[in-house]
Amino acid sequence: MVRKHIFFSGRVQGVGFRYRSYYLAESLGLTGWVRNCYDERVEMEVQGKEAVIYEFIERMKKQHFIRIDEVEMSEIPREEEVSFCIRD
């Protein structure tokens, strides 16, 4: 089990990125949160099995209207949580 802090760049705001990531993360059993940044990126912390997190990212790249140009990812300490949420 790992936790990743991720910034997504590209066409990731105004295209349903946060809602799609919420539903996909929940369906894959991942926990964490997602929010829009003021610099037009999307920030996320996601926790789960590392292979599942990479599957999540690959599936997000295939979503309609979303274009992920860059993924900046680092590993951070795990947290106790039970779900994935959208933060404003």
Side-chain angles (χ1 to χ4, degrees), residues 35-75:
R35 69 178 169 200
N36 284 340
C37 298
Y38 293 107
D39 61 4
E40 299 185 5
R41 297 183 300 169
V42 170
E43 181 181 19
M44 176 183 293
E45 286 188 12
V46 61
Q47 182 168 289
K49 292 183 180 177
E50 192 161 26
V52 177
I53 292 172
Y54 285 109
E55 176 186 346
F56 166 82
I57 293 169
E58 289 306 310
R59 289 175 66 177
M60 285 301 297
K61 288 179 178 179
K62 296 176 183 175
Q63 297 292 313
H64 293 290
F65 307 112
I66 292 171
R67 187 190 75 242
I68 298 172
D69 295 333
E70 187 175 348
V71 178
E72 300 171 48
M73 183 167 31
S74 60
E75 192 162 327

